[in-house]
Amino acid sequence: MTDKTIKKNIILIVDDNQNNLDVLFDLLKKSGFKVLVALNGESAIKQIERIHPTLILLDVMMPGIDGFETCRRLKTNPTTQDIPVIFMTALSETVNKVNGFQVGAVDYITKPFQYEEVLSRLKTHLTIRNLQNKLQEKNTELLQANDNLEKLVEQKTKQLIQQEKTAIIGRLTQGLFHNLRNPIQVILTTLSLIEIKAQETGDTVYLKNSEHISTAVNQINDIINTLMLKSRREQEEDLQLVNINELLRREIQLLEADFNFSNAIKKKYIFDDEIVSIPLIYCHISQIFHSLAENAIDAMSGGIVKELTIITRQDEQRIYIDVKDTGCGISPENLSKIFDPFYTTKLAKYEDMETGVTTRNGLGLYTCIELLKPFEGEITVTSDCENGSIFTVILPKNIKRFPL
Ligand SMILES: Nc1ncnc2c1ncn2[C@@H]1O[C@H](COP(=O)(O)OP(=O)(O)OP(=O)(O)O)[C@@H](O)[C@H]1O
Ligand SMILES: [Mg+2]
């Protein structure tokens, strides 16, 4: 033990014999320890509650509660049970030393004291205690690390399962859609023949019904076209330098054509004019923005305060588009599902030629994520049912896969 480590240790001597106390006090003080004294078991216990000594030298034979009982009480208290106790006995005393070990002592020293022996026993037990403390600390760290690792593995496994599920769904749907294209084409061609015939004969019921069918089939066709993503080569051909602010202004202009959008919703646009142009596929980004705006408008449809805020911002690496609404928000349990294909909370309504009500398929956000993948882009969302939602599109400025 070094002088520095010795100084950190507080030794409590408990003895009813003042001479013994003085002798030990001097010895330990000279050796550099911090030393406290108590004249009986009760006052020792009171002191220990206030000051947590590193080690206790405890006389066995004392008036009041003896050393064994004092030790037993200390060992039953969780806050003091770890403090090592060394008993002190006189050679002349007939003490059953086994009792001492049974109540939790670590060692004995005998009076009259052999100073060298007292010091070396003391230091040995302090070193053991120190090592035990370190072991305990390491153990706690290890348990914590293990806990973190388990959580990480669980999280990664969930992520992998989700990715695998999406990949399987993706492969299945691509194959399915490919095969659906032909029969759909047959239906549409046959329908147009029926429509021509109905127009010729002036059969309005036939005409109306065939219109309904063709609307529904066209809708199926739209879904398929949305989900049949272009190959990477085709995508590269569509790549161009896009200024996000300009794109958004143009898209907003298109939305303004809608009466509800232009009149019922308060808008706030905060665009960072410094934003640089980056290589993107224009129609993909406009589709993403359109989906997010449409969702925001849907979410605010039943609300009193309808406010849509669009923000563009950038940092060194990325460009951000925030689409913020004051709508109904998304509950925490639904938040993890919104990017799943076909997940929707909106009532599916048949598209009506007269009212223009469109069906919701639950493909908007899923498609956004798919469209962003080649650009290493992502969408984050914060939402709660009181304040509404913020969807943020994150676009990296330098895309490794698509150098322009
Ligand atoms: N801004 C928003 N506020 C509240 N809920 C939202 C918002 N955006 C998305 N959601 C929730 O996420 C679901 C999925 O959205 P997504 O855009 O993928 O599908 P959809 O809007 O239901 O249908 P589609 O976009 O195919 O017409 C929505 O049905 C809705 O429950
Ligand atoms: Mg949508």
Side-chain angles (χ1 to χ4, degrees), residues 108-208:
Y108 274 91
I109 51 174
T110 321
K111 299 181 235 179
F113 301 119
Q114 305 287 318
Y115 297 147
E116 288 298 311
E117 187 198 342
V118 171
L119 279 181
S120 65
R121 278 182 195 265
L122 210 80
K123 284 179 185 172
T124 304
H125 288 292
L126 286 172
T127 309
I128 293 172
R129 168 86 330 228
N130 201 9
L131 288 173
Q132 278 172 339
N133 283 345
K134 278 190 182 148
L135 204 68
Q136 215 158 12
E137 268 171 34
K138 288 278 167 222
N139 212 11
T140 317
E141 275 174 28
L142 215 63
L143 284 173
Q144 185 63 46
N146 196 27
D147 202 38
N148 291 347
L149 205 66
E150 271 175 18
K151 278 191 193 133
L152 202 70
V153 169
E154 195 183 334
Q155 199 185 341
K156 284 276 167 217
T157 313
K158 269 192 197 154
Q159 241 174 34
L160 280 175
I161 293 173
Q162 186 57 34
Q163 277 169 5
E164 190 51 27
K165 264 195 208 161
T166 320
I168 291 170
I169 293 173
R171 282 198 295 274
L172 277 176
T173 42
Q174 294 295 307
L176 186 71
F177 294 154
H178 204 82
N179 289 322
L180 278 177
R181 273 188 159 169
N182 274 345
I184 284 172
Q185 221 38 59
V186 174
I187 297 173
L188 286 175
T189 318
T190 318
L191 262 179
S192 59
L193 290 176
I194 294 173
E195 270 172 22
I196 292 168
K197 200 82 194 147
Q199 265 159 359
E200 275 173 16
T201 58
D203 190 332
T204 50
V205 179
Y206 243 73
L207 209 56
K208 188 98 193 136

Side-chain angles (χ1 to χ4, degrees), residues 238-379:
D238 292 340
L239 214 58
Q240 66 184 96
L241 275 178
V242 175
N243 181 298
I244 290 294
N245 290 343
E246 279 172 20
L247 179 148
L248 292 178
R249 283 195 183 104
R250 224 172 295 165
E251 288 307 311
I252 289 164
Q253 229 172 19
L254 291 177
L255 286 172
E256 289 287 354
D258 181 85
F259 182 81
N260 174 46
F261 183 83
S262 63
N263 291 289
I265 296 170
K266 204 172 144 197
K267 272 91 56 184
K268 212 183 207 177
Y269 306 126
I270 309 165
F271 290 175
D272 177 354
D273 289 327
E274 304 287 302
I275 276 180
V276 291
S277 299
I278 55 168
L280 292 168
I281 297 172
Y282 190 96
C283 63
H284 285 185
I285 305 304
S286 68
Q287 186 179 338
I288 291 166
F289 172 68
H290 199 81
S291 279
L292 297 183
E294 193 177 65
N295 283 346
I297 296 164
D298 284 348
M300 294 190 288
S301 66
I304 302 160
V305 185
K306 299 181 181 190
E307 197 171 305
L308 179 73
T309 311
I310 318 266
I311 302 169
T312 60
R313 53 200 170 89
Q314 66 176 346
D315 59 26
E316 289 257 304
Q317 313 283 339
R318 286 164 287 256
I319 290 177
Y320 304 84
I321 308 168
D322 299 314
V323 179
K324 184 172 180 287
D325 65 59
T326 53
C328 58
I330 305 159
S331 63
E333 63 270 24
N334 286 343
L335 209 54
S336 61
K337 303 176 198 154
I338 58 169
F339 293 100
D340 288 347
F342 302 108
Y343 173 80
T344 182
T345 53
K346 298 168 193 173
L347 283 180
K349 291 171 191 157
Y350 191 76
E351 182 169 337
D352 191 309
M353 297 289 277
E354 280 138 35
T355 61
V357 175
T358 51
T359 304
R360 296 297 185 220
N361 301 309
L363 285 174
L365 291 176
Y366 169 75
T367 314
C368 290
I369 293 292
E370 289 299 316
L371 293 176
L372 282 171
K373 269 185 192 164
F375 303 97
E376 289 146 32
E378 54 182 316
I379 296 183

Side-chain angles (χ1 to χ4, degrees), residues 19 22 59 109 117 215 250-251 390:
N19 272 346
D22 292 344
D59 189 23
I109 51 174
E117 187 198 342
T215 309
R250 224 172 295 165
E251 288 307 311
I390 308 173

